[in-house]
């Protein structure tokens, strides 16, 4: 199983220099990919720009949107931006797409919150045509309808439950959707989880702030947070046992020693 690391593009106080240094250290380490999370109505760095900057500062590591909120973007422009990033990075991009559950992001776009599922499918139709030689597409989401889309449009599925049990459950549904769609082989399976090494209180504060729109979800992710070396090793082992191809470690603390400590653990 490969292990990717997220960029700290959603963590408060991250400077441009820190983002660059983080990407370079990840590129020099054992990590398979750099992930970037998408928000609009939030003081984060845009994932397109963050990954473009990271692409220029790195040579080996892959790039991944984990996930990009596709309905916030015009389909044609989205396809152009993703293909440009994929090409300029030397073919290193994997595109993770989802819907998001924050109404304020859709109001800021503006885009229809109620019709976001239909808009995602229209976007996927266009990307399917545009990506003949382009990046692989992973689909996220936990509703049955979200996972069913993998069978028609995705190259794989990305779970964001933060637990091996959650990943195992959604992977089973993704396999069913894949088989129902008559697809050969199996879908690529990716799992994201939140982590820190030390500074647990800072990590918890970040999760409660970032997911403040949905306190129950925030507390669920706080409960799934792994913050010791033993916990991280155990989770990675369990995710591998569940059939994960790549695990994305989303950071909660924007400090370069976190990259170094995770790299040493791996």
């Amino acid at each position: 199983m490969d292990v990717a690391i997220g960029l700290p593009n959603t963590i408060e106080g991250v400077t441009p220099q820190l983002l660059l240094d983080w990407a370079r250290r990840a590129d020099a380490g054992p990590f398979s990919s750099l992930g970037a999370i998408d928000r609009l109505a939030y003081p984060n760095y845009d994932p397109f720009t963050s990954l473009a900057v990271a692409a220029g500062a790195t040579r080996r590591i892959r790039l991944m949107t984990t996930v990009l909120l596709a309905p916030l973007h015009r389909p044609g422009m989205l396809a152009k931006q993703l293909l440009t990033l994929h090409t300029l990075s030397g073919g290193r991009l994997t595109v993770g797409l989802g819907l998001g559950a924050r109404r304020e992001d859709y109001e800021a776009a503006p885009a229809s919150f109620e019709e976001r599922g239909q808009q995602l499918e229209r976007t996927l139709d266009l990307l399917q045509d545009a990506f003949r030689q382009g990046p692989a597409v992973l689909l996220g989401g936990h509703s049955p309808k979200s996972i069913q889309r993998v069978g028609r449009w995705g190259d794989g599925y990305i779970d964001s439950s933060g637990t091996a049990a959650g990943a195992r459950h959604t992977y089973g549904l993704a396999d069913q959707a894949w088989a129902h769609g008559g697809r050969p082989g199996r879908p690529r399976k990716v799992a994201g989880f939140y982590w820190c090494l030390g500074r647990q209180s800072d990590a918890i504060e970040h999760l409660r702030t970032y997911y403040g729109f949905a306190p129950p979800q925030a507390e669920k992710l706080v409960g799934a947070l792994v913050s010791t070396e033993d916990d991280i090793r155990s989770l990675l082992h369990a995710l591998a046992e569940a059939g994960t191809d790549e695990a994305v470690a989303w950071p909660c603390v924007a400090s370069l020693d976190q990259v170094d400590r995770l790299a040493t653990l791996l």
Side-chain angles (χ1 to χ4, degrees), residues 20-102:
L20 275 170
D21 291 342
W22 187 288
R24 289 176 177 134
R25 291 202 189 188
D27 192 43
F31 304 105
S32 54
S33 301
L34 275 169
I37 297 175
D38 193 15
R39 279 293 305 275
L40 182 55
Y42 193 82
N44 62 299
Y45 290 118
D46 166 71
F48 283 114
T49 310
S50 298
L51 289 174
V53 168
T58 60
R59 294 293 177 267
R60 174 197 62 82
I61 198 166
R62 293 190 59 80
L63 313 167
M64 187 186 306
T65 58
T66 60
V67 294
L68 189 71
L69 306 182
L72 300 182
H73 306 270
R74 293 183 179 181
M77 288 297 296
L78 179 65
K80 184 76 168 183
Q81 288 172 301
L82 292 172
L83 283 170
T84 298
L85 180 55
H86 184 62
T87 301
L88 293 181
S89 67
R92 287 187 281 154
L93 182 64
T94 297
V95 178
L97 300 176
L99 296 174
R102 301 166 178 87

Side-chain angles (χ1 to χ4, degrees), residues 48 68-80 82 95 97-99 115-131 137 139 149 153:
F48 283 114
L68 189 71
L69 306 182
L72 300 182
H73 306 270
R74 293 183 179 181
M77 288 297 296
L78 179 65
K80 184 76 168 183
L82 292 172
V95 178
L97 300 176
L99 296 174
E115 297 178 2
R116 64 194 190 282
Q118 299 96 304
Q119 179 59 35
L120 173 60
E121 292 181 0
R122 289 192 288 269
T123 297
L124 289 168
D125 277 335
L126 186 148
L127 294 182
Q128 201 167 56
D129 290 335
F131 283 9
V137 173
L139 297 178
R149 292 188 180 101
W153 289 287

Side-chain angles (χ1 to χ4, degrees), residues 102-157:
R102 301 166 178 87
R103 184 177 291 271
E104 59 265 35
D105 285 340
Y106 282 82
E107 292 172 348
S112 173
F113 184 78
E114 288 74 19
E115 297 178 2
R116 64 194 190 282
Q118 299 96 304
Q119 179 59 35
L120 173 60
E121 292 181 0
R122 289 192 288 269
T123 297
L124 289 168
D125 277 335
L126 186 148
L127 294 182
Q128 201 167 56
D129 290 335
F131 283 9
R132 298 296 183 187
Q133 301 295 324
V137 173
L138 308 176
L139 297 178
H142 288 278
S143 71
K145 189 165 186 178
S146 291
I147 299 173
Q148 286 166 9
R149 292 188 180 101
V150 175
R152 177 174 176 183
W153 289 287
D155 297 297
Y157 173 74

Side-chain angles (χ1 to χ4, degrees), residues 18 21-23 25 254-261:
L18 175 60
D21 291 342
W22 187 288
R25 291 202 189 188
S255 175
L256 290 176
D257 73 293
Q258 297 283 302
V259 183
D260 297 337
R261 293 175 66 181

